[in-house]
């Protein structure tokens, strides 16, 4: 049996990790978008290079909270480990085959064959609910999954879609590598997306070129009295 979703493999760490990832990605996007605007560049190559910063930002944020990481060779990227899962934040290229070709580089392919870390005396947690982390129900759900994936850790792929104008979405899923080298996503879930634009009252007002203007209401004045000030 293979893991079916990030929530399944991350267990009680899923909510806390989701919030932290949204914070990291939004902060990096804001800085990259501002730099692109200041540079007045006609090209988005500089903006697209934030992929390395996303990896480093995620590693540093989790390392500051006590989590360990694995170095993927030959590129040397340090990928954080949460609940015995690799968490790889990736800005998705604008290509229809981007996901299936994720493992096209040796470094990314290595992320599917990384052995679990040795047990530590103390494991950090992003969960605010200690009772939940100690709930045997969660242990029962996560245990068989990790046992099923054998000698490698599950890979939680965090897919970031963005342009210099807008952060479009953050999605996560469990990435599975097939024998032919293609990658499949399981349990894909939207972690964050922009709030929908709420149409204001102005959108309901007819334009002059399509509607009839409303004439002002004119009423005759009441008959004035006959006093000295009339």
């Amino acid at each position: 049996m293979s893991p079916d979703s990030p929530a399944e493999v991350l267990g009680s760490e899923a909510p806390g990790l989701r919030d932290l990832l949204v914070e990291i990605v939004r902060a990096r996007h804001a800085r990259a978008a501002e730099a692109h605007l200041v540079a007045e560049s006609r090209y988005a190559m500089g903006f697209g290079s934030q992929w390395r910063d996303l990896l480093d930002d995620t590693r540093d944020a989790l390392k500051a909270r006590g989590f360990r990481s694995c170095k993927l060779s030959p590129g040397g990227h340090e990928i954080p480990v949460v609940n015995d899962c690799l968490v790889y934040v990736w800005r998705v290229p604008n290509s229809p085959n981007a996901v299936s070709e994720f493992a096209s580089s040796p470094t990314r392919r290595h992320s599917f064959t990384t052995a679990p870390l040795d047990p530590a005396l103390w494991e950090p947690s992003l969960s605010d609910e200690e009772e939940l982390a100690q709930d045997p129900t969660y242990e029962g759900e996560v245990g068989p999954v990790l046992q099923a994936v054998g000698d490698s850790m599950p890979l939680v792929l965090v897919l970031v879609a963005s342009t210099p104008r807008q952060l479009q979405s953050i999605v996560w899923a469990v990435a599975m590598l097939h024998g032919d080298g293609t990658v499949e996503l399981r349990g894909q879930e939207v972690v964050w997306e922009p709030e929908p634009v709420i149409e204001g009252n102005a959108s309901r007002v007819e334009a002059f070129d399509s509607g009839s203007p409303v004439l002002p209401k004119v009423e005759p004045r009441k008959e004035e009295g006959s006093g000295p000030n009339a």
Side-chain angles (χ1 to χ4, degrees):
M1 185 180 72
S2 300
D4 290 326
S5 69
E8 185 178 3
V9 294
L10 292 169
S12 61
E13 300 301 325
L17 179 60
R18 181 175 55 227
D19 293 344
L20 181 61
L21 290 172
V22 170
E23 179 183 338
I24 293 169
V25 173
R26 294 186 70 182
R28 174 53 57 185
H29 169 81
R31 288 195 289 270
E34 183 179 1
H36 181 80
L37 181 64
V38 172
E40 297 182 353
S41 174
R42 297 175 179 81
Y43 310 99
M45 290 180 291
F47 176 81
S49 66
Q50 64 178 289
W51 68 269
R52 189 64 182 265
D53 287 310
L54 284 171
L55 291 178
D56 293 347
D57 291 349
T58 308
R59 177 205 60 205
D60 292 346
L62 287 167
K63 188 176 181 180
R65 290 162 174 79
F67 289 88
R68 296 179 289 173
S69 60
C70 279
K71 184 174 290 187
L72 302 182
S73 59
H77 308 330
E78 275 194 71
I79 308 302
V81 177
V82 177
N83 202 43
D84 281 340
C85 300
L86 282 174
V87 180
Y88 195 116
V89 181
W90 180 46
R91 182 173 180 268
V92 184
N94 186 21
S95 167
N97 299 322
V99 171
S100 63
E101 297 175 353
F102 171 77
S104 58
S105 78
T107 302
R108 291 176 185 168
R109 194 155 51 246
H110 187 197
S111 63
F112 292 94
T113 58
T114 304
L117 301 176
D118 294 332
L121 294 176
W122 173 80
E123 292 290 346
S125 176
L126 294 167
S127 174
D128 294 330
E129 301 179 17
E130 295 183 1
E131 305 84 20
L132 190 62
Q134 298 172 358
D135 189 341
T137 304
Y138 274 86
E139 294 177 3
E141 292 178 356
V142 177
V145 173
L146 298 181
Q147 190 175 8
V149 297
D151 296 332
S152 60
M153 288 187 282
L155 174 62
V156 175
L157 196 58
V158 183
L159 304 105
V160 179
S162 66
T163 70
R165 293 175 59 87
Q166 185 185 39
L167 177 59
Q168 298 169 322
S169 67
I170 306 172
V171 174
W172 69 6
V174 176
M176 305 295 295
L177 181 64
H178 293 300
D180 61 357
T182 60
V183 172
E184 173 195 354
L185 299 181
R186 294 188 177 179
Q188 190 167 333
E189 179 186 0
V190 176
V191 174
W192 178 91
E193 60 185 354
E195 294 287 339
V197 177
I198 300 175
E199 296 183 359
N201 294 332
S203 63
R204 294 193 293 270
V205 177
E206 287 184 301
F208 281 120
D209 60 351
S210 60
S212 301
V214 179
L215 297 176
K217 186 176 182 180
V218 179
E219 295 182 351
R221 293 182 60 181
K222 294 182 179 178
E223 186 177 353
E224 296 175 341
S226 56
N229 297 325

